[in-house]
C-alpha cells in the first residue's frame, strides 16, 4: 500500500500521510506506527481571526474612560435619589404598621422620633420607633412595648417636621390629630426632597420636591 506524504499545518505542523485507499490521516508512516492513525473527514487549513492593534486598544480604552466620566455624576444622583425614596417609603411603611396595629389591638399606637431605640427622644434624623400605647397616655411611657426600631437616616438625608410624635387611635384615625402635618426628608447633596403628609384620617401620602 502506497502513501503520499503531505506537509499540512493543521496537525501540529508535522508531516502527515494520506492513504489513497482508506480515509485515514496518520502522523507517521503506517508501516512504522499503524496504530496512531486517526480518521479525519476532511483536512482544512485553520483560519486565524484578526486581533486588536495597540493603537486600537488605546483608542477604545480612552473612549470608555470618557463615557464613564460623563456617566458617573448622573449615576451618583440616581443612587442618591433612590436612597432618599427608599427611606421615605420606610417611614410610610412604619406609619401604616402603627395604624394597622392600633386597629387590630383596639388600642392606641404611635410612631415617634427616637435616638435611643427604647423611648421617644431626639429628632427624626436619629431614627424612630413604633410602640403600643398600652395606657392610652398619647405618649411613650415605661409600660409601653416597642414593636419596631428604625435606625438613623443615612446618605446625607435629614428629616424635619413640627411634630415628633404620631398617635393612632383604635379606629385608625389620628388620636386628637396628634402628628398631623408634613414630614420632609431632604438630601442636601442633590437638592431633592420627599414630603410625607399625614392627615387626620391617618393615611400618609408622599410627594417630591426640592430643598
Amino acid at each position: 500500500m502506497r502513501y503520499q506524504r503531505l506537509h499540512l499545518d493543521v496537525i501540529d505542523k508535522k508531516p502527515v500521510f494520506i492513504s489513497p485507499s482508506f480515509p485515514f490521516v496518520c502522523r507517521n508512516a503506517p508501516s512504522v506506527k499503524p496504530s496512531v492513525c486517526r480518521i479525519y473527514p476532511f483536512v482544512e487549513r485553520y483560519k486565524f481571526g484578526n486581533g486588536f492593534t495597540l493603537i486600537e486598544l488605546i483608542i477604545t480604552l480612552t473612549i470608555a474612560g470618557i463615557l464613564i466620566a460623563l456617566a458617573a455624576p448622573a449615576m451618583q444622583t440616581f443612587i442618591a435619589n433612590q436612597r432618599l425614596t427608599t427611606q421615605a417609603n420606610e417611614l410610610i411603611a412604619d406609619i401604616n404598621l402603627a395604624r394597622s396595629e392600633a386597629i387590630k389591638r383596639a388600642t392606641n399606637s404611635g410612631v415617634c422620633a427616637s435616638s435611643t431605640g427604647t423611648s421617644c427622644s431626639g429628632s427624626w434624623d436619629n431614627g424612630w420607633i413604633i410602640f403600643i400605647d398600652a395606657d392610652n397616655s398619647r405618649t411613650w411611657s415605661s409600660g409601653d412595648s416597642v414593636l419596631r426600631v428604625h435606625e438613623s437616616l443615612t446618605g446625607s438625608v435629614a428629616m424635619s417636621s413640627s411634630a415628633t410624635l404620631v398617635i393612632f387611635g383604635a379606629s385608625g384615625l389620628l388620636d386628637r390629630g396628634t402628628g398631623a402635618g408634613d414630614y420632609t426628608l431632604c438630601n442636601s447633596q442633590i437638592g431633592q426632597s420627599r414630603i410625607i403628609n399625614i392627615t387626620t384620617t391617618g393615611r400618609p401620602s408622599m410627594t417630591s420636591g426640592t430643598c
Side-chain angles (χ1 to χ4, degrees), residues 2-3 19-20 23 27 43 59 65 76 91 101-102 116 128 143 175 197 206-209:
R2 295 182 301 106
Y3 292 85
S19 169
R27 291 182 180 275
V43 178
I59 293 174
Q76 291 176 352
L91 177 59
E101 287 296 322
T116 62
W128 55 83
D175 191 354
N197 177 263
M206 182 173 65
T207 57
S208 299

Side-chain angles (χ1 to χ4, degrees), residues 125-156:
D125 295 344
N126 299 323
W128 55 83
I129 61 173
I130 304 172
F131 65 95
I132 297 299
D133 184 17
D135 57 1
N136 292 329
S137 61
R138 300 183 185 86
T139 186
W140 164 265
S141 58
S142 58
D144 297 338
S145 57
V146 176
L147 296 180
R148 180 182 293 177
V149 178
H150 191 283
E151 298 177 350
S152 302
L153 297 175
T154 60
S156 302

Side-chain angles (χ1 to χ4, degrees), residues 24 28 33 81 95 107-108 124 141 152 154 163-164 166 182 193 208 211:
F24 292 159
N28 298 301
K33 293 183 179 180
N81 249 318
I95 292 171
T107 187
N108 284 3
W124 293 103
S141 58
S152 302
T154 60
T164 58
V166 181
D182 291 338
S193 67
S208 299
C211 58

Side-chain angles (χ1 to χ4, degrees), residues 67-80:
L67 293 177
I68 292 173
L70 293 175
M75 181 60 67
Q76 291 176 352
T77 301
F78 173 78
I79 293 174

Side-chain angles (χ1 to χ4, degrees), residues 5-22:
R5 182 171 181 174
L6 300 177
H7 291 278
L8 300 176
D9 294 335
V10 295
I11 307 178
D12 302 330
K13 296 183 178 180
K14 295 180 180 180
V16 297
F17 297 86
I18 300 178
S19 169
S21 302
F22 300 96

